Amino acid sequence: MNNLILRGLLCFGILYSCFISPQVFAASSDLNDNGTPDSLENEVLVLINKTLPAGEYTFNNLIISSSSILTLEGDSESTEVFKGVKINANNLVVEVGGGISADRKGYSHGTGPGNTGNFSFQSGASYGGVGASFGGTIYGSATRPVDLGTGSGTNFGGGAIHLVVQNNILNNGVVSADGGGSASGGSLLVETNQLSGSGEFRAKGGGYSSTSVYYSPGGGGRIAIYYSTSTFSGVVSAGGGCGSLGMGYPFVCGGAGTAGLFDRTDNTLKTNGWRFQKNDGAFVLNKIFITSASVDVEKDASVTATEITLDEGSSLNFIDTAVFNVNQVFINNNSSLVSSGKENFSAQNLVVAGGSTVTVLSQNTLKLVIPNINISSDSFITVDQKGYELGGGPGAPLPYDPENPSSNAYLMGASHGGIGVGNTATSTYGSETEPVDFGSAGHGGNAKGGGAIRIISENFVNNGTVSANGSANGSGGSIYISSESITGVGTFSAN
């Protein structure tokens, strides 16, 4: 067993295979106005804009033609769980230029579970994502989104769409449940055998809006799409609304909602925005692909998977305690894994590559118990400036003494394994052979000590950087690695 130690200032399952659908009012429709109920016709072709009230409708083959919009109403006053429109069909086609829309069909002005209850801050409304400027709380399910979006001070939230298609969905148009200005997006729940097309599924929050005051952008809604086979090449988006008040004002966005595509054949989740939530139960998946997204693992969530890949600037963020068991972890292309220091994270293989990073929330220990770890030449395991903060820690200099101005405490360095400049000879602390302490912080500027890394491995390959450095006036933290093999040409530092 090889122990590599650095101490500060050392002078160097198939998820969701079926649903139990909420009760929905069964309704009858005649979209082509021929006097025959749509449920009895082989094909229903929508050639002009039409509207369906909230309820459940059945079709054999439904086609939304180019330049036609089928609007789906919501009923926020309904006592049913699902307050939008459910469509059952054998096949569904949305042509280029056509659409199915529940935009602004959710909760009305200032109502809904994601309302802040206090419009003095002109907050954006929340649902799958948090509205900007002190938005309300998120609500609902990520895997089974059926809720309406929350209204803002000026607009309606997005509605709720549930599509159950036995054969094929061909979407070359837009299926949407967007919120109005400052309101949150609504929900899209899609179940089909085949998914195809190059269109868009969207549940976005609204941008800035105004009455006599400005209201901030709303949070994104929620989308979950389940299929057995897919050639779909379009866009799936539940982003927050964005905007700026003009020159000199920042560009602000509401929080992204959740958008997941679930391949039921191989039990895979693909997402560009997700949240693993406790209220959705334990996630048991084969593979997870996260692309260009920030994904949170909420407190007490449970995730089991064979493989997870973070790519194209993605981040996987642990908020608090959680269980996350994954065999293979690949962090690529400027992506990051952020530990809370409290989750139970287990894996067999961890690969960090392409300028990617593994780190931890401040003043928490980054602990990795993984048999095989490989860090590429441009990647990092780092807890730089994650230790004690301004004036904190057992190695911090004595506070400034007004009776002794020459002490100049603001210029003194904090200690840990070595003595900080101007600090006392007794200010060092911690173990030389089993270092686990954070670095301390001086009194000057925004001083922070380095954090603490504990790694237990069998094969550790470091061609990149492992670091626990402090800031100016801060001491280095701790790096404690136990491994059968440590190889590579990278660096270890706790400066």
Side-chain angles (χ1 to χ4, degrees):
M1 176 73 71
N2 297 317
N3 290 315
L4 188 145
I5 300 166
L6 281 85
R7 193 163 63 105
L9 288 178
L10 294 175
C11 300
F12 60 87
I14 296 181
L15 173 72
Y16 197 81
S17 58
C18 61
F19 287 129
I20 299 176
S21 295
Q23 183 177 350
V24 185
F25 170 71
S28 179
S29 62
D30 183 14
L31 293 178
N32 51 14
D33 299 318
N34 64 0
T36 302
D38 292 332
S39 60
L40 300 180
E41 296 202 70
N42 180 58
E43 179 180 285
V44 174
L45 176 61
V46 179
L47 294 172
I48 60 175
N49 293 344
K50 287 289 185 176
T51 299
L52 291 177
E56 180 173 0
Y57 300 86
T58 299
F59 302 85
N60 287 308
N61 298 288
L62 175 61
I63 302 172
I64 313 300
S65 66
S66 178
S67 302
S68 298
I69 304 296
L70 177 60
T71 298
L72 308 183
E73 297 282 357
D75 182 5
S76 61
E77 301 300 320
S78 172
T79 58
E80 305 294 346
V81 173
F82 183 69
K83 304 177 190 298
V85 172
K86 179 179 180 180
I87 292 177
N88 302 295
N90 288 324
N91 295 284
L92 171 63
V93 176
V94 182
E95 296 181 347
V96 175
I100 297 176
S101 173
D103 296 351
R104 300 178 299 280
K105 299 301 180 182
Y107 288 105
S108 62
H109 300 185
T111 64
N115 188 346
T116 63
N118 183 355
F119 286 108
S120 62
F121 291 109
Q122 292 85 55
S123 306
S126 302
Y127 174 26
V130 177
S133 303
F134 310 100
T137 57
I138 61 172
Y139 59 96
S141 168
T143 58
R144 181 182 167 77
V146 296
D147 293 288
L148 301 175
T150 290
S152 66
T154 60
N155 277 282
F156 285 72
I161 300 174
H162 186 181
L163 304 177
V164 180
V165 179
Q166 297 300 315
N167 296 319
N168 181 48
I169 292 178
L170 172 60
N171 178 20
N172 285 317
V174 177
V175 179
S176 63
D178 295 343
S182 304
S184 63
S187 63
L188 300 179
L189 175 56
V190 179
E191 302 171 78
T192 187
N193 183 33
Q194 300 176 16
L195 181 67
S196 59
S198 56
E200 186 171 5
F201 293 94
R202 194 175 68 214
K204 299 183 73 173
Y208 272 106
S209 62
S210 64
T211 51
S212 58
V213 295
Y214 286 100
Y215 291 86
S216 296
R222 295 187 186 273
I223 302 174
I225 300 175
Y226 294 83
Y227 59 87
S228 298
T229 61
S230 175
T231 59
F232 182 73
S233 59
V235 175
V236 179
S237 173
C242 295
S244 172
L245 295 179
M247 185 177 296
Y249 288 90
F251 187 79
V252 176
C253 292
T258 56
L261 289 93
F262 292 88
D263 186 332
R264 290 184 289 198
T265 300
D266 65 2
N267 193 25
T268 292
L269 166 62
K270 297 179 181 179
T271 181
N272 59 11
W274 192 251
R275 186 177 297 107
F276 292 105
Q277 303 173 180
K278 179 183 178 182
N279 69 309
D280 282 323
F283 289 81
V284 181
L285 296 158
N286 181 21
K287 296 180 180 181
I288 303 169
F289 294 98
I290 302 171
T291 305
S292 301
S294 177
V295 172
D296 292 341
V297 183
E298 291 194 342
K299 179 178 172 63
D300 296 331
S302 176
V303 180
T304 301
T306 302
E307 179 181 310
I308 183 170
T309 299
L310 281 68
D311 209 351
E312 298 182 17
S314 295
S315 63
L316 181 66
N317 312 299
F318 290 90
I319 306 303
D320 205 308
T321 55
V323 176
F324 205 89
N325 298 316
V326 183
N327 189 34
Q328 310 276 348
V329 181
F330 300 100
I331 307 175
N332 302 321
N333 296 326
N334 300 302
S335 298
S336 63
L337 185 153
V338 182
S339 169
S340 69
K342 301 174 183 178
E343 74 278 354
N344 181 355
F345 180 87
S346 64
Q348 292 298 307
N349 299 281
L350 169 64
V351 177
V352 189
S356 297
T357 300
V358 176
T359 188
V360 70
L361 299 179
S362 292
Q363 298 188 48
N364 287 277
T365 298
L366 176 58
K367 185 174 183 180
L368 302 173
V369 183
I370 300 173
N372 300 290
I373 300 176
N374 192 314
I375 311 168
S376 73
S377 60
D378 52 1
S379 296
F380 308 84
I381 293 180
T382 178
V383 293
D384 291 353
Q385 302 182 39
K386 299 293 185 181
Y388 292 107
E389 299 180 353
L390 191 63
L398 295 174
Y400 176 73
D401 182 1
E403 301 297 325
N404 183 21
S406 62
S407 64
N408 212 2
Y410 293 107
L411 299 180
M412 293 181 183
S415 303
H416 181 192
I419 301 172
V421 173
N423 212 327
T424 64
T426 58
S427 60
T428 61
Y429 60 97
S431 170
E432 295 181 353
T433 58
E434 297 180 351
V436 295
D437 293 292
F438 301 138
S440 295
H443 298 282
N446 188 28
K448 296 179 181 179
I453 296 173
R454 177 66 173 119
I455 295 175
I456 301 174
S457 182
E458 295 175 10
N459 299 290
F460 188 90
V461 180
N462 178 23
N463 288 309
T465 300
V466 179
S467 62
N469 300 324
S471 69
N473 296 121
S475 61
S478 301
I479 299 175
Y480 181 16
I481 299 175
S482 301
S483 181
E484 297 291 337
S485 170
I486 300 176
T487 60
V489 294
T491 62
F492 297 88
S493 64
N495 299 325

